Amino acid sequence: MASHNDVKKLLKKLDVIPSILARLAPAEDTLIHEFASLCLAYLSVEYTSKVQIFELDGLDTLIRLLSSPDPDVKKNSLECIYQLVQDFPSRAAIRELNGIPPLLELLKSEYPVIQQLALKTLATITHDAETRLAHRENQGFEQLIEILGNNELNDLHVETLVVVSNCMEDMDTVQLIQQTGGLDKLLQLAETSTLPEVQMNAAKAITNTAQSNENRKILHEQEVEKTLVTLLRVDHEGLRTAACQAIAIMCENLASKDEFRKLAGIQPIVQLLNSENAEVKKAAALALSNLTNANHLNANAVIEAEGTEALVQLLTDQMVGAVAYAADVLTNMCTQEALRSSILAQGAMQALTEALCSTDSLVLSKVVLAVAALACDSDARTELRNVGGLVPLVKLLDSKNDEVRRNACWAVLVCASDEPTTIEMCRLGALNILQEIHLSTSRKNNFSEAALQRLFDSNLSIKYSFTGFLSSSNKITDGFYDYGQVKPDHKMIILEELYKQKVNQHRPVVFLNAKPPEPALTELPPVENKSPDSPGGRSPTPSKNSNKDKTPSKGKSKGKKEEEKTKEEEEIKIPQEVIVEKKQWLLPYDPIFHSLITNVTKSVLPLPNTKEQVVALAVFVAEKMGGPVERDRLHEFFWELHVSELKFQLQSNVIPIGQIKKGTFYHRALLFKALADRIGINCSLVRGEYNRAWNEVLLADEVPKAPGKLFPPKAYAVDLMHSPGHLMKKNSPEAIQYQCI
């Protein structure tokens, strides 16, 4: 009756457990023991009943009944104990009450149901390390190996292997099983058993054993790799999953990685990527992830096994783990340049872009790393832009997950290796997000700082506007423009948009471009009716009866000619219209700036030392920008009026630097930096306040003060305004005066 739920509830209300435990006293009859223990077994299914039995010391009574001569009493008591040990207090208590020996004795029972219950109970309690020690001290492991070696007991092998799997987490047990030959029996059972469930649990036992480095060495010595590769070929999804998991953990041993490849184990794992079972695909991807980690030969083996396509397809799988591990494998393979092109050809960038929209943090962190690994090549970065991958990548910079945000910063750092990608990421707000991260003490990391610096270095116009500083290693090239100082939260406008704006009252943008325009494409030649006799000529409407076509009436002929003429004109117009549509905006060429470069190359570059070159270049820049201006007469130097006239004359807010004839501090400093970079003079450009800017150069003493000793170079600010060519020591009073109003 106690098996019925309503009866159970009523018995609990009547509080019958103390009475039932009293009926289990040694003085009671065996028949009473049988039914009392059966009643307890039914009641112990519920948590409250288990707690009450434990608090009333019922576990001690039940352990005593395991030695009863009646098999039913043993079974019922064992079933109740099995329910009790699902809770941690009972697991510790059964060890303290010396319950391990009677449990092991029941393994010799002639009744399989009792043996199975004993094994299930042992499987539960051996999760505890101290219980495993007591189990080993009572020679329990030897009994388990005996069961595994007895083919007549193959119905117990599955449960036995679960207990063995738990016990083999201890290194002492592994050494014991190796010394007694039990490990050989375990591996042999895994290979030769005809029951996939047995093989599966054997693989799980290997996985648990391989958790420590020492155990992995022991397993490698026993050639466990050969066993696992054999298990991969058994047509059972659970077994293949367990084998892949075991291979994954064994790959922590470097020798095992190579051994799996030598045993041709990579190809069957690659084939499992196409399995219809999600768990199998996930386990296979995990195994390949560990196999290819820091192992180029295994990565090549994946390519040879034609695994690239399967891995790319797995990126769009619904199982989160499979996507993450597939991305991991691709990341490992991308360390080799030869493999990256192969991966890219399979459409990996498109698949990775789709995976970047995942909501799972593990997937995002792994996929972002794969994008970074693949984006080492310019072709991959171009494809990333074309498939729209930069949009989700930039969004991940603002992720709340630390690992995802850190990996996204790394990917941006890699992608910012070329100007088009950098400009696009800045347009999408990457620079603003990275600056916000830089200002945060909790979100900032080394990769975010490096990514921010890389974005700046890849686009010096942006760097100068946000930081107000260009180092000597930052070389200004054609296309650079000075937008002016901007705040960290300000979004910069690209030069093309600035150029297309109407003239306004804002500070003009100064740009540099000494690159002559490319020769214009020749216009399409007019379509003419060439005679067939002309070289390469062909009649527009060839006809065998051309002579006969001349006979129609003049009216019809004239109308036909007009129709043909109209068609020809339309044919000519169509490609011209297409050309106009495809025409891109080009930065205007500044021939004056080009000539300035030519002049300094001829006059300044040949000078014997850097100091003379700096002085000569400073004088040259000052002459081109209106000459020297005394400090007291700066207010009479009307450079603003001159620049405003240029804006009106050009009808643009963007002015080429070569056309500025009256330039103030920031004009001259920019021109000096641009010309110095062209002729190889190392100098920096520093922006100050109120239209101030200056250049700093490092100069060494021409003649050492002490013979045979060289001193480090000193930094000087270059005067371009008052006494052109005068060098002022950095941070000296005169330098500070030059830099401030």
Side-chain angles (χ1 to χ4, degrees):
M1 292 175 64
S3 62
H4 196 280
N5 289 332
D6 293 336
V7 175
K8 280 183 189 177
K9 292 178 182 178
L10 184 60
L11 291 174
K12 285 171 61 179
K13 288 181 180 179
L14 296 174
D15 194 22
V16 298
I17 290 179
S19 300
I20 295 174
L21 288 174
R23 302 283 78 76
L24 295 175
E28 296 288 346
D29 188 79
T30 303
L31 185 62
I32 295 177
H33 285 174
E34 178 184 347
F35 288 103
S37 60
L38 180 61
C39 186
L40 275 184
Y42 285 129
L43 292 174
S44 63
V45 175
E46 296 186 0
Y47 176 74
T48 54
S49 298
K50 285 192 285 187
V51 172
Q52 190 176 13
I53 294 171
F54 179 76
E55 291 177 347
L56 294 173
D57 297 328
L59 189 59
D60 190 9
T61 302
L62 292 168
I63 291 173
R64 176 175 51 79
L65 290 175
L66 293 179
S67 303
S68 171
D70 187 274
D72 290 325
V73 174
K74 290 180 180 179
K75 171 188 169 296
N76 296 337
S77 301
L78 187 55
E79 193 170 353
C80 187
I81 291 173
Y82 173 70
Q83 297 294 344
L84 291 175
V85 295
Q86 302 305 313
D87 300 330
F88 290 104
S90 297
R91 296 181 193 178
I94 201 169
R95 181 184 65 251
E96 295 169 358
L97 294 171
N98 198 28
I100 303 293
L103 283 173
L104 293 174
E105 189 64 29
L106 291 178
L107 295 178
K108 302 175 183 178
S109 173
E110 58 181 317
Y111 299 100
V113 64
I114 293 177
Q115 291 175 308
Q116 289 178 348
L117 277 173
L119 287 169
K120 286 182 178 180
T121 305
L122 288 170
T124 302
I125 64 177
T126 50
H127 284 294
D128 181 67
E130 294 183 6
T131 303
R132 291 197 296 270
L133 176 61
H135 177 267
R136 186 170 63 248
E137 291 175 348
N138 285 277
Q139 286 78 44
F141 205 80
E142 287 80 351
Q143 293 188 44
L144 297 175
I145 296 300
E146 287 180 11
I147 294 174
L148 292 177
N150 189 344
N151 291 330
E152 295 180 359
L153 300 176
N154 57 8
D155 58 326
L156 301 177
H157 286 175
V158 174
E159 289 81 6
T160 304
L161 283 169
V162 175
V163 184
V164 170
S165 176
N166 293 340
C167 294
M168 289 180 69
E169 292 182 15
D170 298 329
M171 185 178 173
D172 293 338
T173 303
V174 176
Q175 291 177 343
L176 175 65
I177 189 176
Q178 184 189 29
Q179 293 168 2
T180 58
L183 191 55
D184 286 331
K185 291 181 180 179
L186 176 63
L187 298 180
Q188 185 178 4
L189 176 67
E191 289 189 48
T192 60
S193 176
T194 57
L195 299 175
E197 290 80 7
V198 172
Q199 294 176 304
M200 180 177 66
N201 281 281
K204 290 180 179 179
I206 293 171
T207 301
N208 282 353
T209 306
Q211 297 299 320
S212 70
N213 188 42
E214 292 299 324
N215 288 353
R216 286 191 290 271
K217 289 180 180 178
I218 293 173
L219 289 171
H220 174 64
E221 292 172 359
Q222 296 294 133
E223 298 182 346
V224 71
E225 297 88 358
K226 189 181 296 183
T227 301
L228 293 174
V229 171
T230 302
L231 295 180
L232 287 173
R233 297 185 170 90
V234 179
D235 188 12
H236 186 274
E237 293 175 347
L239 174 56
R240 285 173 170 174
T241 301
C244 287
Q245 291 171 344
I247 290 172
I249 194 67
M250 279 301 300
C251 285
E252 297 293 328
N253 183 285
L254 297 180
S256 295
K257 280 187 182 182
D258 294 327
E259 191 64 26
F260 283 121
R261 183 187 68 255
K262 294 174 183 177
L263 292 170
I266 292 180
Q267 185 171 6
I269 299 176
V270 168
Q271 292 173 350
L272 294 180
L273 295 175
N274 298 314
S275 171
E276 296 180 359
N277 185 282
E279 290 295 336
V280 173
K281 289 191 288 187
K282 176 182 174 182
L286 172 61
L288 289 176
S289 172
N290 290 358
L291 279 166
T292 56
N293 184 25
N295 194 307
H296 291 175
L297 294 177
N298 285 354
N300 289 329
V302 173
I303 291 287
E304 293 172 1
E306 300 180 354
T308 309
E309 184 178 356
L311 288 167
V312 172
Q313 290 178 353
L314 203 56
L315 292 174
T316 58
D317 196 83
Q318 297 298 319
M319 174 160 277
V320 169
V323 177
Y325 296 134
D328 232 358
V329 180
L330 293 175
T331 302
N332 297 337
M333 294 167 65
C334 283
T335 56
Q336 300 182 70
E337 183 178 356
L339 302 187
R340 288 199 293 270
S341 58
S342 166
I343 295 170
L344 195 63
Q346 295 293 337
M349 198 58 83
Q350 177 68 50
L352 288 170
T353 298
E354 294 176 9
L356 284 174
C357 300
S358 172
T359 56
D360 185 82
S361 298
L362 175 63
V363 170
L364 290 174
S365 63
K366 299 293 185 182
V367 169
V368 168
L369 284 180
V371 170
L374 194 57
C376 293
D377 301 328
S378 59
D379 291 342
R381 292 192 294 271
T382 301
E383 186 169 347
L384 181 63
R385 294 196 306 271
N386 294 339
V387 299
L390 292 179
V391 176
L393 177 60
V394 170
K395 287 182 180 179
L396 291 178
L397 290 173
D398 215 12
S399 172
K400 294 181 180 179
N401 184 279
D402 291 341
E403 186 176 1
V404 173
R405 185 172 60 253
R406 183 170 57 251
N407 292 349
C409 289
W410 168 248
V412 169
L413 173 65
V414 174
C415 291
S417 300
D418 56 52
E419 188 173 353
T421 309
T422 303
I423 293 173
E424 180 65 14
M425 288 193 294
C426 291
R427 187 186 68 79
L428 294 170
L431 196 58
N432 296 335
I433 298 174
L434 287 171
Q435 286 183 307
E436 291 175 4
I437 294 174
H438 184 70
L439 298 174
S440 171
T441 55
S442 59
R443 301 170 65 203
K444 182 169 65 173
N445 57 72
N446 293 336
F447 289 154
S448 67
E449 294 181 5
L452 179 61
Q453 190 61 41
R454 176 64 66 84
L455 285 180
F456 281 149
D457 290 340
S458 298
N459 195 316
L460 296 183
S461 302
I462 294 176
K463 180 178 183 179
Y464 188 50
S465 292
F466 278 102
T467 66
F469 176 77
L470 294 180
S471 68
S472 58
S473 61
N474 298 138
K475 304 299 182 183
I476 292 179
T477 57
D478 294 322
F480 178 89
Y481 64 100
D482 182 7
Y483 183 74
Q485 186 72 40
V486 296
K487 296 179 180 179
D489 58 348
H490 183 82
K491 188 174 181 180
M492 273 190 66
I493 304 174
I494 63 174
L495 189 56
E496 180 180 354
E497 294 178 4
L498 291 169
Y499 190 82
K500 294 177 180 178
Q501 288 179 350
K502 294 181 179 180
V503 178
N504 54 45
Q505 74 279 12
H506 296 307
R507 174 188 183 276
V509 176
V510 181
F511 76 89
L512 296 85
N513 184 28
K515 183 180 180 181
E518 296 180 359
L521 294 174
T522 56
E523 296 183 0
L524 290 173
V527 180
E528 297 179 358
N529 295 339
K530 296 183 179 180
S531 64
D533 297 334
S534 61
R538 184 177 296 178
S539 173
T541 54
S543 175
K544 293 181 180 179
N545 301 324
S546 57
N547 293 331
K548 295 180 181 179
D549 294 339
K550 297 179 182 179
T551 56
S553 63
K554 294 181 179 180
K556 291 183 180 180
S557 177
K558 185 177 180 181
K560 195 171 185 180
K561 286 181 179 179
E562 288 178 356
E563 288 178 6
E564 291 177 356
K565 187 177 181 181
T566 304
K567 286 182 180 180
E568 290 173 1
E569 288 176 355
E570 289 176 354
E571 289 174 359
I572 295 172
K573 288 179 181 179
I574 290 172
Q576 288 177 345
E577 290 173 359
V578 172
I579 292 172
V580 171
E581 289 176 0
K582 292 184 178 180
K583 187 176 180 181
Q584 295 181 351
W585 179 82
L586 298 176
L587 183 64
Y589 169 54
D590 186 357
I592 301 176
F593 178 54
H594 191 174
S595 65
L596 295 180
I597 296 174
T598 304
N599 291 338
V600 297
T601 304
K602 293 178 180 178
S603 60
V604 178
L605 186 58
L607 295 177
N609 57 62
T610 305
K611 183 177 181 181
E612 292 185 23
Q613 290 177 338
V614 170
V615 173
L617 182 58
V619 173
F620 179 85
V621 169
E623 289 178 355
K624 300 302 178 184
M625 287 282 181
V629 182
E630 296 179 9
R631 181 179 297 277
D632 298 335
R633 308 194 59 155
L634 276 174
H635 62 282
E636 299 177 3
F637 187 65
F638 302 115
W639 64 271
E640 298 99 331
L641 179 60
H642 169 64
V643 172
S644 298
E645 290 174 348
L646 284 176
K647 287 174 62 177
F648 181 77
Q649 177 185 345
L650 298 172
Q651 283 298 298
S652 174
N653 297 310
V654 180
I655 299 174
I657 196 168
Q659 294 199 25
I660 300 177
K661 305 303 178 185
K662 282 188 177 181
T664 188
F665 291 87
Y666 78 90
H667 297 125
R668 300 185 183 204
L670 176 58
L671 181 59
F672 184 91
K673 168 69 173 169
L675 294 175
D677 287 346
R678 300 298 176 113
I679 62 174
I681 298 177
N682 290 328
C683 77
S684 59
L685 175 61
V686 187
R687 190 197 301 278
E689 296 179 348
Y690 304 106
N691 294 321
R692 296 295 171 106
W694 61 93
N695 304 100
E696 293 178 355
V697 295
L698 291 174
L699 297 175
D701 294 330
E702 296 180 9
V703 180
K705 296 180 180 179
K709 292 185 179 181
L710 295 176
F711 295 93
K714 298 176 182 178
Y716 294 90
V718 183
D719 188 340
L720 301 173
M721 201 73 190
H722 310 306
S723 301
H726 177 57
L727 301 177
M728 303 165 285
K729 286 186 178 180
K730 185 177 179 179
N731 297 328
S732 65
E734 61 175 343
I736 295 173
Q737 186 180 17
Y738 179 81
Q739 297 161 5
C740 305
I741 293 180

Short mmCIF file of all heavy atoms in Angstrom, two decimals, residues 524 527 566-582:
data_model
loop_
_atom_site.label_atom_id
_atom_site.label_comp_id
_atom_site.label_asym_id
_atom_site.label_seq_id
_atom_site.Cartn_x
_atom_site.Cartn_y
_atom_site.Cartn_z
N LEU A 524 35.11 57.26 -74.82
CA LEU A 524 34.73 56.19 -75.75
C LEU A 524 34.68 56.75 -77.16
O LEU A 524 34.08 57.82 -77.39
CB LEU A 524 33.36 55.63 -75.37
CG LEU A 524 33.31 54.82 -74.08
CD1 LEU A 524 31.86 54.48 -73.76
CD2 LEU A 524 34.14 53.57 -74.20
N VAL A 527 30.82 55.65 -82.30
CA VAL A 527 30.53 54.44 -83.06
C VAL A 527 30.40 54.80 -84.53
O VAL A 527 29.59 55.66 -84.90
CB VAL A 527 29.24 53.79 -82.55
CG1 VAL A 527 28.93 52.53 -83.34
CG2 VAL A 527 29.37 53.46 -81.08
N THR A 566 19.26 56.93 -84.04
CA THR A 566 18.75 57.10 -82.68
C THR A 566 19.24 55.97 -81.77
O THR A 566 19.65 56.19 -80.63
CB THR A 566 17.22 57.10 -82.70
OG1 THR A 566 16.78 58.12 -83.59
CG2 THR A 566 16.66 57.37 -81.30
N LYS A 567 19.22 54.74 -82.31
CA LYS A 567 19.71 53.61 -81.53
C LYS A 567 21.18 53.75 -81.18
O LYS A 567 21.61 53.48 -80.07
CB LYS A 567 19.50 52.30 -82.30
CG LYS A 567 18.05 51.85 -82.33
CD LYS A 567 17.94 50.52 -83.07
CE LYS A 567 16.51 50.04 -83.11
NZ LYS A 567 16.39 48.76 -83.81
N GLU A 568 21.98 54.21 -82.14
CA GLU A 568 23.41 54.37 -81.91
C GLU A 568 23.67 55.42 -80.84
O GLU A 568 24.52 55.27 -79.97
CB GLU A 568 24.11 54.75 -83.22
CG GLU A 568 24.16 53.60 -84.23
CD GLU A 568 24.70 54.06 -85.57
OE1 GLU A 568 25.05 55.25 -85.67
OE2 GLU A 568 24.78 53.23 -86.49
N GLU A 569 22.89 56.52 -80.88
CA GLU A 569 23.07 57.57 -79.88
C GLU A 569 22.73 57.06 -78.48
O GLU A 569 23.41 57.36 -77.50
CB GLU A 569 22.18 58.76 -80.24
CG GLU A 569 22.68 59.53 -81.46
CD GLU A 569 21.71 60.65 -81.85
OE1 GLU A 569 20.63 60.72 -81.21
OE2 GLU A 569 22.05 61.43 -82.74
N GLU A 570 21.66 56.24 -78.40
CA GLU A 570 21.29 55.68 -77.10
C GLU A 570 22.36 54.73 -76.58
O GLU A 570 22.69 54.71 -75.41
CB GLU A 570 19.96 54.93 -77.22
CG GLU A 570 18.77 55.86 -77.42
CD GLU A 570 17.49 55.08 -77.62
OE1 GLU A 570 17.57 53.84 -77.71
OE2 GLU A 570 16.42 55.71 -77.69
N GLU A 571 22.93 53.93 -77.52
CA GLU A 571 24.00 53.01 -77.12
C GLU A 571 25.21 53.75 -76.61
O GLU A 571 25.91 53.30 -75.72
CB GLU A 571 24.38 52.12 -78.31
CG GLU A 571 23.31 51.08 -78.65
CD GLU A 571 23.65 50.31 -79.90
OE1 GLU A 571 24.71 50.62 -80.49
OE2 GLU A 571 22.87 49.42 -80.29
N ILE A 572 25.47 54.92 -77.19
CA ILE A 572 26.62 55.72 -76.75
C ILE A 572 26.33 56.33 -75.38
O ILE A 572 27.17 56.40 -74.51
CB ILE A 572 26.95 56.82 -77.78
CG1 ILE A 572 27.42 56.18 -79.09
CG2 ILE A 572 28.00 57.77 -77.25
CD1 ILE A 572 27.58 57.16 -80.24
N LYS A 573 25.10 56.76 -75.15
CA LYS A 573 24.75 57.45 -73.91
C LYS A 573 24.75 56.50 -72.72
O LYS A 573 25.13 56.85 -71.62
CB LYS A 573 23.37 58.09 -74.03
CG LYS A 573 23.36 59.31 -74.93
CD LYS A 573 21.95 59.88 -75.03
CE LYS A 573 21.91 61.10 -75.95
NZ LYS A 573 20.54 61.65 -76.09
N ILE A 574 24.32 55.28 -72.93
CA ILE A 574 24.16 54.34 -71.81
C ILE A 574 25.47 54.10 -71.07
O ILE A 574 25.55 54.30 -69.86
CB ILE A 574 23.56 53.01 -72.30
CG1 ILE A 574 22.10 53.24 -72.68
CG2 ILE A 574 23.67 51.93 -71.23
CD1 ILE A 574 21.45 52.05 -73.36
N PRO A 575 26.56 53.73 -71.74
CA PRO A 575 27.81 53.51 -70.99
C PRO A 575 28.33 54.78 -70.36
O PRO A 575 28.92 54.75 -69.31
CB PRO A 575 28.77 52.96 -72.06
CG PRO A 575 28.15 53.29 -73.37
CD PRO A 575 26.70 53.36 -73.16
N GLN A 576 28.09 55.95 -70.98
CA GLN A 576 28.56 57.20 -70.39
C GLN A 576 27.83 57.46 -69.08
O GLN A 576 28.41 57.90 -68.09
CB GLN A 576 28.34 58.35 -71.37
CG GLN A 576 29.30 58.31 -72.56
CD GLN A 576 29.01 59.42 -73.56
OE1 GLN A 576 27.95 60.04 -73.52
NE2 GLN A 576 29.94 59.65 -74.44
N GLU A 577 26.50 57.17 -69.07
CA GLU A 577 25.75 57.37 -67.84
C GLU A 577 26.24 56.44 -66.74
O GLU A 577 26.35 56.82 -65.58
CB GLU A 577 24.27 57.12 -68.11
CG GLU A 577 23.64 58.21 -68.99
CD GLU A 577 22.21 57.85 -69.38
OE1 GLU A 577 21.77 56.75 -68.97
OE2 GLU A 577 21.57 58.65 -70.07
N VAL A 578 26.57 55.21 -67.11
CA VAL A 578 27.08 54.25 -66.13
C VAL A 578 28.39 54.73 -65.54
O VAL A 578 28.64 54.66 -64.35
CB VAL A 578 27.25 52.86 -66.78
CG1 VAL A 578 27.94 51.92 -65.82
CG2 VAL A 578 25.88 52.30 -67.18
N ILE A 579 29.25 55.28 -66.40
CA ILE A 579 30.55 55.78 -65.94
C ILE A 579 30.36 56.91 -64.94
O ILE A 579 31.02 56.99 -63.92
CB ILE A 579 31.40 56.25 -67.14
CG1 ILE A 579 31.79 55.03 -67.99
CG2 ILE A 579 32.63 56.99 -66.68
CD1 ILE A 579 32.45 55.39 -69.30
N VAL A 580 29.41 57.78 -65.18
CA VAL A 580 29.15 58.91 -64.27
C VAL A 580 28.68 58.39 -62.92
O VAL A 580 29.09 58.86 -61.88
CB VAL A 580 28.10 59.86 -64.89
CG1 VAL A 580 27.66 60.89 -63.87
CG2 VAL A 580 28.68 60.55 -66.12
N GLU A 581 27.85 57.35 -62.94
CA GLU A 581 27.34 56.82 -61.69
C GLU A 581 28.44 56.18 -60.86
O GLU A 581 28.44 56.26 -59.65
CB GLU A 581 26.25 55.79 -61.99
CG GLU A 581 24.96 56.42 -62.52
CD GLU A 581 23.94 55.37 -62.89
OE1 GLU A 581 24.25 54.18 -62.73
OE2 GLU A 581 22.85 55.73 -63.36
N LYS A 582 29.39 55.55 -61.49
CA LYS A 582 30.45 54.84 -60.77
C LYS A 582 31.61 55.75 -60.38
O LYS A 582 32.51 55.32 -59.69
CB LYS A 582 30.97 53.68 -61.63
CG LYS A 582 29.96 52.57 -61.83
CD LYS A 582 30.56 51.42 -62.59
CE LYS A 582 29.57 50.28 -62.75
NZ LYS A 582 30.14 49.15 -63.50
#
